[in-house]
Amino acid sequence: MSHSSRTSRVAGCTLVVIALGAGVTACSSDGNPLSATPYDAAEQISFNGPTKAGKKADPDKPLEVTAEGSEGRITDVTATDAAGRHVSGELSADGLRWHSTSPLAANAHYTVRVSTEDDDGAPGRRVVTFDTGKPRTTKRLNVTFGPQAGKYGVGQPITADLNQPVKDKAQRAIVERGLKVVSSPVVDGSWHWVDDKKLHYRPKDYWPVNATIQVRSNLDGIKISDRLWGGTAKPLKITTGDRIVAVADGAS
């Protein structure tokens, strides 16, 4: 927002009057402007999403947040959808522009929380919500996890079967980031592409004894390529039993 400030000394504190129809103090009782109640930065911040009720944002386009005028800057932006998925982004060095670096999901509801700071160091806030529309294609990447729910040995891999082939390296990276494997106790592991439509996930060594492993996909509605979007996947939960490892010499 473009606002002019008028200051006066009141009980050792600076009072800043902002042209939003109301005055807010620019410092707290301890005289620190950073601990003041945030002002409404609605007129200071703009974004490239829809501004009319009922309109939906194009999930093909990145999200952009811009500081208007010359009396403030953006300090932080947090964007999440209703499923709790965060949108990665980059803030320019001058604090005047933030843009998303990870794709938006289609048919999703987003909440964007923007933090600002004016020239006097007073903090501002703006919260924006919007919905994204449908993808321009009906081609969806659905995932089927395996094995079936149950108890397995500590060497059991997790499998992910895709209904569409994925060959491009960058697109494969999007798929891998969207397939989540969480074990208790925690162990490190990674996905390996068996072919264009199948992945295996294995721990770095073995699964822990009596572990619980949960698998889910965060790809639903996520753009993978211009003609392919993430689809549905049923989550999976398996457990491990005692550790029994047999070692054989293939040569003999």
Side-chain angles (χ1 to χ4, degrees):
M1 83 190 149
S2 176
H3 67 270
S4 60
S5 301
R6 177 170 55 85
T7 63
S8 61
R9 292 291 177 180
V10 180
C13 169
T14 302
L15 178 68
V16 177
V17 179
I18 300 174
L20 287 175
V24 294
T25 57
C27 66
S28 66
S29 58
D30 59 7
N32 182 2
L34 297 182
S35 62
T37 301
Y39 63 82
D40 183 359
E43 294 184 15
Q44 186 178 11
I45 297 298
S46 65
F47 82 113
N48 65 331
T51 57
K52 295 182 179 180
K55 297 291 184 178
K56 294 187 177 182
D58 185 351
D60 275 323
K61 296 180 179 179
L63 174 65
E64 293 185 0
V65 181
T66 306
E68 300 291 339
S70 60
E71 298 184 11
R73 66 186 185 90
I74 301 168
T75 58
D76 185 61
V77 177
T78 302
T80 56
D81 67 5
R85 295 178 293 190
H86 286 258
V87 179
S88 301
E90 292 182 351
L91 179 62
S92 62
D94 57 11
L96 299 181
R97 178 179 176 270
W98 180 95
H99 70 279
S100 60
T101 56
S102 62
L104 298 177
N107 293 323
H109 180 76
Y110 280 94
T111 300
V112 184
R113 294 177 171 85
V114 184
S115 298
T116 65
E117 183 180 88
D118 70 8
D119 290 342
D120 296 319
R125 298 288 187 272
R126 187 186 181 190
V127 178
V128 176
T129 61
F130 66 93
D131 296 317
T132 54
K134 296 180 180 180
R136 297 176 183 176
T137 177
T138 57
K139 203 171 186 181
R140 302 296 287 260
L141 182 73
N142 298 326
V143 184
T144 302
F145 293 119
Q148 296 182 351
K151 181 176 286 188
Y152 296 90
V154 294
Q156 174 65 45
I158 301 296
T159 63
D161 291 294
L162 313 179
N163 70 324
Q164 303 286 345
V166 179
K167 300 180 180 181
D168 181 78
K169 185 177 180 181
Q171 296 171 17
R172 285 187 171 189
I174 294 174
V175 172
E176 290 180 38
R177 287 196 297 268
L179 304 181
K180 303 298 183 181
V181 180
V182 179
S183 67
S184 179
V186 177
V187 293
D188 292 329
S190 61
W191 288 103
H192 167 72
W193 289 82
V194 178
D195 55 42
D196 294 340
K197 297 177 68 175
K198 180 183 282 291
L199 299 86
H200 282 183
Y201 183 97
R202 292 182 183 275
K204 189 175 182 180
D205 187 9
Y206 291 99
W207 296 115
V209 173
N210 300 321
T212 298
I213 300 111
Q214 299 186 72
V215 191
R216 72 181 190 278
S217 172
N218 283 343
L219 289 173
D220 191 14
I222 296 297
K223 182 180 179 181
I224 299 169
S225 71
D226 288 339
R227 298 192 300 172
L228 184 64
W229 291 72
T232 60
K234 182 180 179 180
L236 170 69
K237 179 179 177 181
I238 67 172
T239 58
T240 60
D242 295 333
R243 176 168 174 162
I244 302 175
V245 179
V247 180
D249 186 347
S252 60

